Amino acid sequence: LLLAHRPSGACVVPMISSQQVAVLAHAQDDLPRTVHVVGRPEGRENSGICGEYAYVGVHGERAAYQRRGSNHVIFFAAKSQRWIMGQHGFQDGAAVNAYADDCVGLSHPGHAELMWQVWESSVGQHIHDPDVVSVDAMGLVSVVGRATNRIHHAVCGEYALAGVHHGRPLYQQKEGEHEIKYYSPDGRWLISPIGAMGNQCHAFSDGPTHHHPGTAEMVWHFFEPQINSFQTDLAVRSLPCPLFVHVIGRNPSSGNSHINGTYQAVGAVDGRPMFLQPGTSKLLRYSARGRRWLIQCEGLAEPSLLGKLYHWLFSGGVVPPGAGA
């Protein structure tokens, strides 16, 4: 499957200059470490292009990515000014599973506005698939903190990247019937039942500057039927992490072996997820001051800020003075 010739009227952009290449090299830390491709259903030809791609360097003067556990790659073909998805290495003339013209000189392919043309053997050419998108977003987001004695607590859980809505990532609950999507007319992220129309939702967060919902700083407002209005719930966080993490490997005969075990995401501290081992006072959290992750076996033993936060998260009570994520 050779790269199709450029159709008439396709966009042409100037080649990136050597100065721009140098800028890109210095800006590699700002490039997304992963890009996700979604939208091609399993069983359909070239569905293998979907998945998580990790940054592997620069090719064709732009960022290049390879799918984890696969030969599939995404790279920029400078000659044709196209982003290429293939599985035969970074070769401009190799077989192409899909391509997208780049009219603006993007530094990486994680942009939902790219229009991917996917090879269809039945017609012998690449055909635009509007469902296929490549985005700079994590594959998983966890919603935590809604007390179990409050309405809409079922929104808590893990959400997997499922597509794009209004130009931003769409996530669907892995074990539930909710989704997180962006609603551009209001500039808000919504948590709503799957398939809800317009801005119908159980909760929203103002987020025109947030490109995805996995941001601990986002503030969520929930609809409260008793007052027929939305009310802020500062305990709720949407986090860029799984709901559970596991600490393993500490020898039982060694000191502090009790740090082993499963920890559940419960909130955020210093802008990073915070995890609690259920039924204990053990915390796994980030310290911005020390720039390190900590396991505190007695993290909730004292009525400190973290203890107040724990009470806040699980009691469904009001926010105690001075507490926060």
Side-chain angles (χ1 to χ4, degrees):
L1 310 179
L2 297 179
L3 178 64
H5 292 294
R6 179 184 300 280
S8 60
C11 60
V12 178
V13 297
M15 296 290 287
I16 239 175
S17 68
S18 58
Q19 182 179 10
Q20 288 172 306
V21 173
V23 171
L24 176 61
H26 286 293
Q28 287 182 13
D29 288 342
D30 295 328
L31 294 170
R33 310 319 293 174
T34 59
V35 166
H36 283 83
V37 177
V38 296
R40 193 79 169 177
E42 283 190 41
R44 189 173 178 185
E45 184 179 15
N46 285 317
S47 62
I49 62 176
C50 293
E52 181 183 53
Y53 290 72
Y55 174 76
V56 293
V58 174
H59 178 88
E61 303 168 343
R62 312 282 175 90
Y65 294 81
Q66 182 169 359
R67 183 183 168 192
R68 298 187 188 277
S70 168
N71 293 326
H72 285 85
V73 295
I74 307 177
F75 64 94
F76 186 72
K79 184 177 180 180
S80 57
Q81 295 291 292
R82 287 173 171 170
W83 289 98
I84 303 295
M85 291 185 191
Q87 55 187 121
H88 299 285
F90 300 97
Q91 303 178 43
D92 293 5
V96 173
N97 299 111
Y99 72 86
D101 288 308
D102 185 345
C103 301
V104 295
L106 301 171
S107 62
H108 64 81
H111 292 271
E113 61 266 30
L114 286 172
M115 300 176 64
W116 289 98
Q117 321 292 321
V118 185
W119 178 260
E120 296 278 5
S121 297
S122 60
V123 294
Q125 63 181 354
H126 293 86
I127 301 295
H128 176 226
D129 187 339
D131 294 326
V132 174
V133 291
S134 51
V135 291
D136 170 15
M138 65 286 302
L140 191 71
V141 169
S142 291
V143 176
V144 303
R146 185 69 172 174
T148 56
N149 62 345
R150 302 187 70 177
I151 192 171
H152 302 319
H153 68 269
V155 304
C156 291
E158 291 181 334
Y159 291 71
L161 180 63
V164 169
H165 187 266
H166 288 195
R168 303 201 187 180
L170 168 93
Y171 292 82
Q172 291 187 342
Q173 201 170 23
K174 295 176 68 175
E175 297 184 6
E177 301 178 351
H178 298 91
E179 63 186 7
I180 307 175
K181 62 187 178 184
Y182 185 69
Y183 187 68
S184 57
D186 294 343
R188 289 174 170 175
W189 288 93
L190 312 179
I191 302 179
S192 58
I194 294 175
M197 303 299 291
N199 61 359
Q200 298 177 26
C201 65
H202 294 324
F204 73 86
S205 177
D206 292 310
T209 62
H210 297 300
H211 297 290
H212 58 76
T215 306
E217 292 77 15
M218 291 176 68
V219 176
W220 289 94
H221 313 272
F222 280 74
F223 185 74
E224 303 287 355
Q226 68 272 23
I227 61 173
N228 196 33
S229 182
F230 286 85
Q231 188 175 47
T232 304
D233 188 342
L234 293 175
V236 175
R237 291 289 182 265
S238 50
L239 306 172
C241 66
L243 190 58
F244 297 96
V245 298
H246 309 282
V247 176
I248 61 174
R250 187 65 174 172
N251 192 303
S253 62
S254 302
N256 287 319
S257 62
H258 50 287
I259 65 174
N260 291 337
T262 298
Y263 292 73
Q264 181 177 353
V266 294
V269 171
D270 289 340
R272 305 286 182 93
M274 180 179 71
F275 299 84
L276 170 71
Q277 191 178 85
T280 76
S281 297
K282 300 170 190 172
L283 284 176
L284 171 58
R285 70 177 184 91
Y286 182 73
S287 168
R289 178 179 298 178
R291 297 201 301 182
R292 62 184 64 173
W293 285 90
L294 310 174
I295 298 178
Q296 296 178 298
C297 293
E298 300 299 330
L300 299 178
E302 299 296 330
S304 61
L305 170 62
L306 294 178
K308 293 177 182 178
L309 178 60
Y310 173 85
H311 175 79
W312 172 29
L313 290 173
F314 292 99
S315 69
V318 297
V319 184

